[in-house]
Amino acid sequence: MTNDDSRITTATLGTGGPEVGVQGLGCMGMSFAYGPTDADEARATLDRALELGVTLYDTADAYADGENERFLAPFFKAHRDEVVVATKFALAIPPDEPTRRIIRNDAPYIRQAVEASLKRLDLDVIDLYYMHRRDVNVPIEESVGAMADLVREGKVKQLGLSEVTGSELRAAQAVHPIAALQSEWSLFSRDIEADVVPVARELGVTLVPYSPLGRGFLTGSFTDADQELTEGDYRRTQPRFTGTNATANAALLAPIRTVAEAHGASLGQIALAWVQQQATTHKLPVVPIPGTRKRSRVEENTKATTITLTEEELASLDLIAAKVTGTRYADMTFTSAGRK
């Protein structure tokens, strides 16, 4: 570790949980979903993130069928006392359909999944274990009960949920404390504010926004996924980023650009600063996990934690979400918004 005066501040992960950097790192793209990657640069990015005070690292067993966990394992082992390791279960591969995913929240599968993740990560305990998606056919109390067993057995330290509704979060909390709720939250995606965020605040649950940069769209790095992104890039399947939706949504970046110019910042930094500032707006800990695999980007992203937007700037940015066209997934049934 280096002494770096650009290290970010911290936030508490759940009630009585560890202090983590107020911004985490989404590691999915280092192995999966966003086209070709440079493994050496990705490893250097992990190291630089830690130097800057990023301590929450997010992965999942579904990312490249476990390869992302394996890729991260040496870094976690080398810095075990400095990092908080978060991974997830629930997206299972049917034996006869290797390209398909099904959601499983049943207790036997949870047991199988945690053992497999521990082995791939080469760890004795996972710091934060999320249920990646909710299977409505399994009572959430049953799933969280099985997860709570893992805490009692010392395999997991804290529990998290992803893309659950406010009522589902409340039901889960009645079984075992939930430290973190991971859901999409950005200038383009704000559906959790009506239902989920108030419950999380009431229960002392930390919000961990994923895709706070709108999968890169809010940075202006691409304007049409079909035309500009490589074959196999996951974003080409998402309605917001293609065709007429992409054209309409690209025009919505104008107010972000105006605010960015006023701060001498990038579009991405303003988008991240807005998410970070939701901690003040909604009065609860917020630790976004922007994904990147480049050192320059993690340096840019962490600097966003020092930007404070004015009330006028927030008001101008607040108008964006209602104008976004296209859903964030082609199938929204697996999201909290799809179950309201």
Side-chain angles (χ1 to χ4, degrees):
M1 293 289 290
T2 63
N3 291 320
D4 194 325
D5 59 9
S6 58
R7 283 174 62 85
I8 60 176
T9 58
T10 62
T12 304
L13 193 61
T15 303
E19 290 290 305
V20 296
V22 76
Q23 187 181 110
L25 182 64
C27 300
M28 178 180 77
M30 294 180 177
S31 311
F32 176 69
Y34 293 157
T37 187
D38 179 333
D40 289 339
E41 178 62 20
R43 292 187 189 98
T45 300
L46 294 168
D47 290 333
R48 183 60 178 141
L50 189 57
E51 288 175 351
L52 292 168
V54 175
T55 54
L56 176 64
Y57 293 81
D58 186 87
T59 182
D61 61 4
Y63 299 160
D65 302 339
E67 285 304 314
N68 194 237
E69 290 179 323
R70 291 189 186 95
F71 175 79
L72 295 166
F75 171 74
F76 293 154
K77 199 168 190 68
H79 301 283
R80 190 64 190 99
D81 295 336
E82 303 167 83
V83 300
V84 173
V85 177
T87 192
K88 317 178 195 72
F89 74 89
L91 301 181
I93 303 172
D96 55 344
E97 297 182 79
T99 61
R100 189 166 162 254
R101 297 290 183 275
I102 58 172
I103 299 176
R104 288 191 61 180
N105 292 170
D106 56 285
Y109 181 75
I110 294 171
R111 172 77 50 183
Q112 171 190 329
V114 75
E115 295 294 350
S117 282
L118 284 166
K119 184 175 181 180
R120 286 188 294 265
L121 292 164
D122 193 21
L123 296 177
D124 296 323
V125 59
I126 292 165
D127 299 314
L128 176 59
Y129 198 44
Y130 287 102
M131 186 172 78
H132 204 163
R133 291 293 184 269
R134 166 105 163 88
D135 178 0
V136 295
N137 297 308
V138 179
I140 197 165
E141 294 86 352
E142 180 181 316
S143 302
V144 176
M147 295 168 72
D149 288 341
L150 303 179
V151 177
R152 283 188 283 272
E153 294 167 18
K155 297 179 186 295
V156 170
K157 291 183 180 178
Q158 290 186 295
L159 302 184
L161 301 172
S162 180
E163 289 285 358
V164 297
T165 66
S167 61
E168 290 167 345
L169 176 58
R170 201 181 294 281
Q173 179 82 4
V175 177
H176 188 279
I178 302 299
L181 173 60
Q182 185 173 142
S183 284
E184 187 164 353
W185 200 6
S186 73
L187 284 168
F188 268 23
S189 301
R190 299 181 57 182
D191 49 79
I192 66 169
E193 292 175 28
D195 170 47
V196 178
V197 172
V199 176
R201 179 177 62 241
E202 175 193 333
L203 300 178
V205 177
T206 298
L207 250 294
V208 180
Y210 72 83
S211 297
L213 294 171
R215 296 178 175 81
F217 195 86
L218 288 166
T219 70
S221 61
F222 73 98
T223 56
D224 187 314
D226 278 339
Q227 301 299 317
E228 299 169 54
L229 302 181
T230 57
E231 199 71 38
D233 192 303
Y234 176 66
R235 291 168 289 187
R236 294 176 64 156
T237 70
Q238 296 182 300
R240 286 183 176 172
F241 306 139
T242 59
T244 56
N245 286 343
T247 302
N249 292 334
L252 299 177
L253 302 184
I256 308 175
R257 195 167 284 112
T258 299
V259 175
E261 289 171 357
H263 285 267
S266 67
L267 295 180
Q269 286 175 323
I270 297 305
L272 275 175
W274 180 88
V275 176
Q276 302 276 180
Q277 209 157 323
Q278 298 312 299
T280 301
T281 301
H282 293 279
K283 298 180 175 58
L284 81 171
V286 176
V287 182
I289 47 169
T292 188
R293 48 203 176 180
K294 295 180 180 178
R295 282 168 287 181
S296 60
R297 291 298 187 195
V298 83
E299 289 167 356
E300 177 184 336
N301 291 346
T302 52
K303 286 176 184 174
T305 65
T306 66
I307 297 173
T308 301
L309 304 175
T310 67
E311 290 300 320
E312 291 77 15
E313 288 169 339
L314 289 169
S316 71
L317 297 173
D318 281 348
L319 301 174
I320 294 173
K323 300 175 183 177
V324 174
T325 62
T327 53
R328 47 195 179 95
Y329 294 101
D331 182 356
M332 288 288 287
T333 60
F334 303 121
T335 69
S336 58
R339 291 196 302 279
K340 283 183 180 176

